[in-house]
């Protein structure tokens, strides 16, 4: 018989010597041997990276060895060891020290120097402590390892490298006879197998008590010894009936209380969270969790914050996981090292699949070092149900001699991959082009799961190209999804540069969000593309019956667990009016389709926009979809005014035709119809020199003037051979002006198609427009925005650069219906009658690279109205290789048949009244 657990059970005591994370530190004595504030004893926060505390030298991993900081940090900390601890087993635990750690207690070595930054290690210091007295802990930390293979694996890399005791330090106080190691396998069918190792030299008994989330005992499994020569080892097996399995969508956790006894006396017990789930790799098929083939919607994540470097906290882990999940991701890759324990705790509890990684950027550990560190990683991480995959290094940093030890050390036998190569039947190559491969990859026979793809760079990658990639991945049975690079811009606070933020130029500016989680446009594009509720395309017409076809792209969850709220909104640039309602989500099992039915009011067509907002079972928004109810012409008809009392006056001045109406004076070039200048009662409106056709021949003919009732029409002469592109201006007595454009792109494939105007950038103040917003778009990143009215104040923000002010003002804005343009002293209005027009606002800074991958292409002029816009590349791919949406625009001219030309109609109000 085993004694039941009681409050007096001997459980492990955890006594922190440091703080618990970046938000709760403890001051230790410290001296740095070189760099900032060197060679003087002072204080430092522990845990921390010492560069962020104003010591040593900053280095990015690409720095030449000759200029790298190789300083050491000397730490001292005094602590009291109670007399009551005498006779117990005391471990001194470090969760992470960067990089080599030499530890002494009271002047005596605690053990061998530990090499390797991202791994928890411990020393038995029971015999080194002075019980009932003060004890001195000293640690000498070398951020540049004496082991060349450690530097190759961890520090010769494409990320910031730091030094210091950057993760917590604590004392582990255990009974004299105690559990030293426990491992288990908990399967989705309820089968449970565990091994307990203790330091007992005599026969013991063991059991595990499983508690549900409410603390209720659901079963007890008793252990047995199968190796009499090793009396401290016990095996426990059993089956939990009707288990609640762990998944990323339903992360149910049990508590397992492992206990050892001797002759009925409880010796030691430990508590661990357990998730019942099964992971299986089926060759040339897929990766399965609980019998379901998984599409990983993942991202690579560094443990990082600008102010604290690699030192994080439980709060930071919660923030990161919540933000990752808010993009409808279900997976995260630990790049390129194992994470803090609390990050895995949060992945377990909130639900996120994890690929955990043995460090090795392009180099790898030697085998003795790697085997030791792999064992430490397994002891620290293996019990987490969120971990479903192991990675042995990165991009060539694979020590193949270690592969067998992943299997040997992992009781759960999770699959192992080699990121960027084909290994174990999983093709993980990085940054391959859309539909890449000759007999391999997308055109091969193995499971395809890029562990890095669509490499972010400034505003490229990530959401730009993802729609094409995901469409291909979703419908390819051999695709297991993939992991975007990467989560956040790694801009570090430079204590040596007046606390400025530094991404080492372009190298670390590759996040979906900024260093403080500022959301880029790709954040919202990913959120929509990876939504587990997929709504098939639907155009709203007068016979709309309120129905949508939806697809359940969850793996484990029925759509009827979600909630939907709809909203009808009447929108124009000045006023809004709305009505709200709810609708039941259909009963749709995973990977099935169903009809979503709305019960809208009878007068629904009196509104302009329909919003569908769907939340999950945890009340977290999946996405809000928007559907314009009326086309631009219908909106324009109620916003513009044609009739009016004003006479229209024309006057010719050399090559100019001057038109006056109301308080507006416009000058046109008589030879081609281009507007040269505009003035109103407030003075000059700086919009001029337009329309200029983009990627089309500007062969506009001379103006012809005709009367149309009380309006005046200025139209360029048409000739199919020499003047096949033409424009017309209609001046109304209301003061409104209509521009009609008819043109053909000059070539079959074009980066752009549309019309440009000039406007001094220094004069613009803000724009309030109706259309998709608030973020700019690219041809290969059209998702993520909502249709509505958006006000944007001018900024000169560049994505991935200080001050990380989003949304950016400059760029392309889709589905433009109209808007107000405010200069510093004036304003004008533009209303669009044509569908699918892009508003272009100025030109972001030009960027390029030696491969011409990331190049933001924009037309001439400053303010444009475009039929076609450019796509954007990534750090590692040109735009056209990210999929069909990355191709140039394609338009055939049908021998310049006017009926086949591109058409655009805009209305301008230049009046100050």
């Amino acid at each position: 018989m085993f004694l039941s657990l009681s409050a007096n059970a001997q459980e492990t005591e955890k006594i922190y010597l440091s703080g618990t994370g970046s938000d709760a530190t403890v001051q230790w004595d410290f001296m740095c041997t070189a760099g900032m504030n060197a060679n003087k004893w002072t204080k430092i926060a522990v845990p921390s990276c010492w560069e962020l505390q104003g010591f040593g030298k900053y280095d990015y991993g690409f720095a030449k060895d000759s200029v790298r900081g190789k300083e050491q940090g000397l730490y001292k900390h005094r602590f009291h060891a109670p007399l009551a601890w005498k006779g117990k087993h005391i471990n001194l635990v470090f969760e992470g020290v960067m990089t080599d750690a030499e530890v002494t207690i009271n002047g005596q070595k605690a053990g061998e120097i530990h090499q390797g930054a991202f791994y928890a290690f411990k020393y038995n210091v029971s015999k080194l402590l002075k019980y009932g007295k003060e004890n001195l802990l000293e640690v000498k930390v070398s951020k540049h390892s004496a082991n060349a293979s450690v530097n190759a694996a961890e520090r010769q890399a494409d990320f910031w490298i730091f030094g210091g005791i950057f993760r917590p330090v604590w004392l582990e106080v255990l009974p004299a006879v105690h559990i030293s190691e426990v491992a288990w396998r908990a399967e989705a069918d309820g089968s449970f197998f565990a091994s307990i190792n203790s330091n007992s030299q005599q026969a013991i008994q063991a059991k595990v008590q499983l508690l549900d989330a409410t603390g209720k005992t659901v079963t007890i499994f008793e252990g047995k010894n199968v190796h009499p020569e090793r009396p401290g080892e016990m095996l426990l097996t059993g089956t939990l009936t009707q288990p609640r399995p762990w998944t990323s969508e339903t992360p149910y956790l049990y508590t397992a209380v492992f206990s050892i006894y001797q002759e009925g006396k409880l010796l030691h017990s430990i508590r661990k969270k357990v998730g019942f789930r099964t992971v299986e790799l089926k060759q040339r098929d897929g990766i399965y969790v609980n019998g379901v083939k998984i599409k990983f919607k993942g991202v690579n994540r560094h443990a990082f914050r600008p102010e604290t470097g690699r030192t994080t906290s439980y709060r930071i882990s919660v923030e990161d996981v919540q933000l990752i999940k808010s993009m409808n991701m279900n997976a995260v890759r630990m790049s390129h090292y194992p994470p803090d324990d609390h990050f895995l705790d949060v992945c377990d509890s909130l639900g996120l699949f994890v690929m955990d990684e043995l460090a090795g950027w392009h180099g790898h550990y030697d085998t003795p070092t790697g085997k030791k560190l792999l064992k430490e990683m397994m002891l620290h991480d293996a019990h987490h149900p969120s971990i479903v995959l192991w990675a042995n290094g990165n991009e060539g940093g694979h020590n193949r001699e270690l592969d067998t030890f992943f299997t040997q050390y992992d009781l759960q036998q999770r699959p192992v991959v080699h990121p960027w190569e084909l290994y174990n039947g999983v093709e993980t190559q990085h940054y391959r082009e859309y539909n890449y491969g000759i007999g391999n990859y997308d055109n091969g026979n193995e499971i395809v799961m890029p562990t890095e793809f669509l490499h972010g760079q400034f505003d490229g990658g990530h959401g730009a190209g993802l729609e094409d990639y995901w469409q291909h991945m979703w419908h390819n049975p051999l695709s297991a999804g993939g992991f975007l690079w990467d989560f956040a811009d790694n801009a570090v606070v430079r204590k040596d540069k007046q606390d400025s933020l530094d991404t080492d130029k372009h190298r670390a500016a590759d996040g979906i969000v900024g260093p403080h989680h500022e959301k880029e446009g790709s954040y919202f594009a990913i959120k929509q593309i990876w939504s587990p509720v997929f709504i098939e395309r639907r155009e709203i017409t007068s016979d709309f019956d309120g129905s949508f076809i939806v697809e359940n792209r969850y793996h484990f969850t029925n759509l009827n667990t979600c909630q939907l709220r709809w909203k009808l909104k009447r929108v124009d640039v000045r006023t809004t009016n709305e009505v709200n309602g709810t609708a039941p989500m259909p009963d749709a099992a995973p990977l099935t389709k169903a009809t979503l039915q709305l019960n809208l009011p009878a007068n629904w067509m009196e509104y302009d926009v329909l919003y569908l907002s769907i939340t999950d079972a945890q009340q977290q928004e999946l996405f809000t979809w928007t559907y314009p109810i009326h086309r631009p012409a219908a909106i324009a008809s109620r916003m513009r005014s044609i009739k009016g009392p004003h006479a229209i006056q024309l006057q010719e001045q050399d090559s100019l035709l001057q038109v006056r109406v109301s308080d507006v004076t416009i000058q046109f070039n008589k030879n081609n119809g281009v507007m040269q200048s505009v003035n109103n009662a407030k003075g000059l409106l700086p919009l001029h020199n337009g329309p200029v056709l983009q990627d089309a021949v500007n062969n506009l003919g001379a103006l012809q003037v005709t009367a149309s009732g009380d309006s005046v029409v200025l139209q360029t002469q048409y000739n199919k051979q020499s003047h096949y592109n033409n424009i017309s201006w209609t001046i109304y007595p209301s003061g409104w002006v209509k521009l009609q454009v008819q043109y053909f792109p000059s070539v079959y494939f074009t980066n752009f198609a549309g019309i440009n105007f000039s406007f001094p950038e220094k004069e613009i103040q803000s724009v309030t427009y109706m259309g998709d917003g608030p973020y700019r778009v690219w041809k290969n990143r059209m998702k993520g925005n909502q249709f509505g009215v958006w006000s944007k104040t001018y900024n000169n923000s560049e994505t991935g650069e200080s001050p990380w002010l989003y949304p950016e003002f400059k760029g392309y804005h889709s589905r433009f219906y109209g808007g107000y343009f405010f200069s510093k002293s004036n304003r004008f209005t533009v209303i669009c009658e044509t569908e699918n027009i892009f508003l272009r606002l100025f030109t972001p800074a030009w960027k390029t690279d030696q491969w011409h991958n990331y190049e933001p292409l924009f037309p001439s002029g400053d303010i444009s109205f475009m039929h076609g816009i450019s796509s954007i590349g990534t750090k590692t791919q040109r735009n056209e290789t990210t999929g069909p949406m990355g191709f140039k625009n394609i338009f055939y001219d049908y021998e310049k048949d006017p009926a086949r030309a591109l058409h655009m109609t805009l209305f301008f109000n230049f009046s100050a009244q």
Side-chain angles (χ1 to χ4, degrees), residues 809-834:
F809 183 82
K810 301 177 184 179
Y812 303 113
H813 300 78
S814 57
R815 212 154 43 175
F816 176 70
Y817 274 48
Y820 298 128
F821 297 75
F822 297 90
S823 70
K824 292 179 179 179
S825 59
N826 220 324
R827 67 170 238 186
F828 64 94
T829 304
V830 182
I831 303 298
C832 181
E833 264 196 0
T834 308

Side-chain angles (χ1 to χ4, degrees), residues 174-230:
L174 304 161
V177 178
H178 59 272
I179 298 170
S180 55
E181 183 180 340
V182 61
W184 64 86
R185 184 173 64 245
E187 303 286 354
D189 63 3
S191 61
F192 185 86
F193 176 84
S195 67
I196 293 179
N197 288 337
S198 76
N199 65 342
S200 177
Q201 302 301 311
Q202 300 178 8
I204 60 170
Q205 302 84 45
K207 74 170 183 179
V208 59
Q209 180 180 7
L210 284 177
L211 313 175
D212 66 15
T214 68
K216 177 184 176 182
T217 299
V218 293
T219 193
I220 296 176
F221 303 136
E222 298 187 1
K224 61 180 180 179
N225 178 270
V226 295
H227 299 290
E229 71 280 10
R230 300 197 294 272

Side-chain angles (χ1 to χ4, degrees), residues 314-499:
Y314 178 81
R315 177 185 57 80
I316 285 174
S317 290
V318 171
E319 289 176 355
D320 283 9
V321 171
Q322 287 179 334
L323 192 58
I324 290 169
K325 286 180 68 71
S326 75
M327 288 183 276
N328 291 313
M329 296 177 174
N330 63 7
V332 61
R333 177 187 172 208
M334 300 295 94
S335 52
H336 294 288
Y337 41 80
D340 303 84
D341 193 47
H342 49 69
F343 184 81
L344 296 174
D345 286 340
V346 175
C347 291
D348 292 344
S349 61
L350 296 184
L352 202 58
F353 294 128
V354 173
M355 177 187 293
D356 202 358
E357 184 161 311
L358 183 73
W361 187 67
H362 283 185
H364 60 73
Y365 302 114
D366 60 54
T367 299
T369 302
K371 183 179 178 182
K372 177 177 180 291
L373 296 177
L374 174 58
K375 179 67 173 178
E376 291 175 349
M377 182 177 81
M378 288 290 184
L379 288 173
H380 187 261
D381 296 354
H383 62 279
H384 289 280
S386 55
I387 297 175
V388 295
L389 295 164
W390 299 112
N392 180 1
N394 171 72
E395 294 187 355
H398 323 294
N399 183 337
R400 302 177 195 280
E401 294 179 2
L402 299 178
D403 288 328
T404 184
F405 296 109
F406 280 88
T407 303
Q408 180 178 325
Y409 294 157
D410 182 22
L411 193 59
Q412 298 182 29
Q413 300 294 287
R414 284 160 282 206
V416 181
V417 299
H418 287 182
W420 101 327
E421 71 177 24
L422 173 61
Y423 173 77
N424 197 20
V426 183
E427 176 63 87
T428 62
Q429 286 191 64
H430 292 173
Y431 311 123
R432 295 305 89 200
E433 292 77 4
Y434 179 86
N435 199 31
Y436 169 86
I438 302 176
N440 67 339
Y441 206 76
D442 284 331
N443 297 293
N445 307 102
E446 312 295 344
I447 298 167
V448 179
M449 184 188 67
T451 38
E452 296 176 26
F453 76 111
L454 291 175
H455 194 307
Q457 173 124 41
F458 303 115
D459 204 27
H462 300 141
L466 182 60
E467 187 174 359
D468 280 334
Y469 268 75
W470 190 244
Q471 177 80 357
H472 184 67
M473 289 173 165
W474 184 257
H475 294 288
N476 177 9
L478 289 179
S479 171
F483 295 78
L484 295 168
W485 184 271
D486 75 336
F487 174 51
D489 291 337
N490 280 199
V492 67
V493 171
R494 292 296 298 258
K495 291 295 182 182
D496 56 344
K497 295 183 179 181
Q498 298 180 323
D499 286 351

Side-chain angles (χ1 to χ4, degrees), residues 549-754:
I549 302 300
V550 296
E551 180 182 357
N552 184 353
R553 292 188 171 181
Y554 279 113
H555 290 101
F556 305 96
T557 304
N558 194 301
L559 285 189
N560 60 18
T561 64
C562 298
Q563 298 82 42
L564 179 141
R565 295 191 62 83
W566 57 261
K567 177 170 63 177
L568 289 167
K569 195 171 187 178
R570 182 175 173 85
V571 178
D572 53 44
V573 177
R574 295 179 179 175
T575 62
T576 61
N577 181 32
E578 63 184 58
V579 61
N580 301 277
T582 62
M585 289 293 289
D587 181 359
L591 309 182
T592 64
K593 293 184 178 182
T595 299
L596 169 64
Q597 186 64 52
L598 306 182
N599 184 21
L600 298 177
N603 66 339
W604 65 269
M605 283 202 69
E606 296 178 10
Y607 297 87
D608 298 323
V609 192
L610 171 63
Y611 296 79
L612 302 181
S613 184
I614 300 178
T615 54
D616 63 16
Q618 289 74 44
Q619 305 301 312
Q620 299 301 306
E621 183 202 52
L622 299 177
F623 193 72
T624 296
W625 292 260
T626 53
Y627 299 87
I629 294 172
H630 301 294
R631 298 175 187 177
I635 301 295
S637 67
R638 73 177 193 233
M639 296 182 67
R640 57 172 167 75
S641 174
I642 293 177
K643 296 182 179 181
H646 306 291
I648 302 171
Q649 303 175 40
L650 282 75
Q651 181 180 349
E652 293 191 34
Q653 298 177 351
D654 298 325
S655 63
L656 298 179
L657 176 62
Q658 181 173 284
V659 178
R660 291 182 179 178
V661 59
S662 183
D663 67 327
V664 177
T665 300
I666 310 173
Q667 291 186 328
F668 297 96
N669 187 318
K670 293 191 300 183
N671 298 319
N672 57 19
V674 172
M675 184 177 72
Q676 298 296 302
S677 66
V678 185
N679 283 267
N680 64 19
K682 289 186 176 180
L684 178 69
L685 267 172
L687 186 74
H688 65 287
N689 190 33
V692 174
L693 301 177
Q694 180 68 46
D695 280 23
V697 178
N698 280 279
N699 58 356
L700 303 175
L703 278 180
Q704 294 177 320
V705 182
T706 60
S708 178
D710 54 2
S711 302
V712 173
V713 178
L714 315 177
Q715 184 165 357
T716 58
Q717 293 178 348
Y718 171 78
N719 182 289
K720 190 173 182 179
Q721 281 69 44
S722 58
H723 301 303
Y724 48 80
N725 296 325
N726 67 343
I727 64 173
S728 70
W729 296 92
T730 302
I731 317 299
Y732 295 104
S734 63
W736 280 80
V737 178
K738 179 170 71 173
L739 170 64
Q740 292 176 294
V741 183
Q742 178 178 297
Y743 71 103
F744 295 92
S746 56
V747 292
Y748 191 51
F749 297 98
T750 60
N751 284 317
F752 327 97

Side-chain angles (χ1 to χ4, degrees), residues 288-302:
Y288 287 73
V289 175
N290 302 344
V292 176
K293 187 188 289 189
I294 300 298
K295 300 279 190 185
F296 291 104
K297 301 180 295 182
V299 69
N300 287 264
R301 177 220 182 232
H302 277 294

Side-chain angles (χ1 to χ4, degrees), residues 242-282:
Q242 298 182 325
R244 294 184 61 176
W246 186 96
T247 74
S248 64
E249 297 166 17
T250 54
Y252 192 86
L253 294 172
Y254 293 85
T255 299
V257 183
F258 296 92
S259 303
I260 59 173
Y261 299 81
Q262 203 165 60
E263 297 180 355
K265 180 183 178 182
L266 177 62
L267 300 176
H268 187 210
S269 66
I270 60 174
R271 292 172 175 261
K272 297 289 186 180
K273 294 294 184 181
V274 173
F276 282 79
R277 60 102 184 89
T278 300
V279 183
E280 184 179 7
L281 170 62
K282 295 183 179 181

